[in-house]
Amino acid sequence: LEKEKAFFEKYATDRTKDIISSIEMLLSQIPSDNSYCILKMSAGSGFHSITGDWQFDDYSQTGTWTQGRNAGKKKFKSRKIADCNGKLSLMGFVKLRALSEEEVKHLEENSKIEQQRKEQGRLAELEAAKIRAEKEARVQRKNEERKKRYDSAMAEIKQLVDIGQYEEALSKIKVVSEAFPGCEQHEINVDMLEEKVRSIQEKRAIEKRQQEEIEQKRLENAVPLSEKISKAQKLPTLYGNVKQWMKQNGRDSLSDEEIGALRNQIERIANAMKPRDKQKMKSLGSELESFISSDLAQCWFNEMIMS
């Protein structure tokens, strides 16, 4: 340190005083009782300390380089000085002393406590890792069971699709989607299924309307023929009503009473016709002969129209 101080006193810089002050602070810490020592070591300690400081008694008289890029320059002049918050300090100095038995015992106790703490931490971490692993295993099993139930449900739905049970399949898909959110990966084309269900429902609605119409016709014809044809104002309408009534009631022919009711309604329609319209008629209509004989039809025509 004295040689280092002499070096900086010879090679002064604008902050040499700060460096010398740092050296004097280190010198002041050298104890007179040898209770500890000041050593220079490690990074930044410089050439002299690294080589044992035996080659030179004066750091300013270290010779010159004879070759290389530093040829002609003095050797071993560079220094690393630390600047910490504006304060300059030499690098690499440590204070070394022997520990007392009490300090050693205290350190050993602390070391034992620290080891116990680390062991407890290690065991706690192992337990935490075990708990995490068990939890992950439970979650994995739960996910696997959930996936198995989902796959089973989708297999059942696929069977329904294969046999054309589209409505039930679509209904089950909606239930499964709500029960297993996030598991929408399957081979079933839901859009196609919805289209088929719409088609089925539309067809069913048409069939229902048709059935309602049939039922309405059945109810309308579940009356005596005389009532069914009582409101007919024209012969075609009358014959149409008779045909419908016979069809709805499963009849192939008319009874004498029903033939009489038919004659009465034809006569009422004929009486309501204008004379010139009557003169244009050649018969009461060929459709009449599907209900009664042609001879009887001709007889009615002669009596009602030609008379």
Side-chain angles (χ1 to χ4, degrees), residues 233-235 269-285 301 304-306:
Q233 301 297 319
K234 294 182 179 181
L235 292 178
I269 293 173
N271 291 336
M273 295 174 64
K274 295 179 181 180
R276 66 175 179 272
D277 293 332
K278 286 184 178 183
Q279 296 301 320
K280 295 179 181 179
M281 295 180 63
K282 296 181 180 180
S283 69
L284 293 175
F301 177 74
M304 298 177 195
I305 305 299
M306 302 303 293

Side-chain angles (χ1 to χ4, degrees), residues 71 98 126 185 268 281:
L126 288 175
Q185 296 182 355
R268 280 195 291 272
M281 295 180 63

Side-chain angles (χ1 to χ4, degrees), residues 166-212:
Y166 303 121
E167 289 178 296
E168 187 176 355
L170 183 60
S171 177
K172 284 185 177 292
I173 278 185
K174 292 179 180 179
V175 172
V176 170
S177 296
E178 291 177 359
F180 298 91
C183 295
E184 287 79 13
Q185 296 182 355
H186 50 73
E187 297 178 356
I188 298 174
N189 189 329
V190 177
D191 292 337
M192 176 275 293
L193 198 56
E194 290 177 343
E195 181 61 31
K196 285 188 175 292
V197 168
R198 279 194 296 270
S199 178
I200 291 172
Q201 292 174 344
E202 289 172 359
K203 182 179 179 181
R204 186 179 294 134
I206 292 172
E207 291 174 349
K208 182 180 179 182
R209 288 196 298 271
Q210 291 174 341
Q211 189 60 39
E212 289 174 349

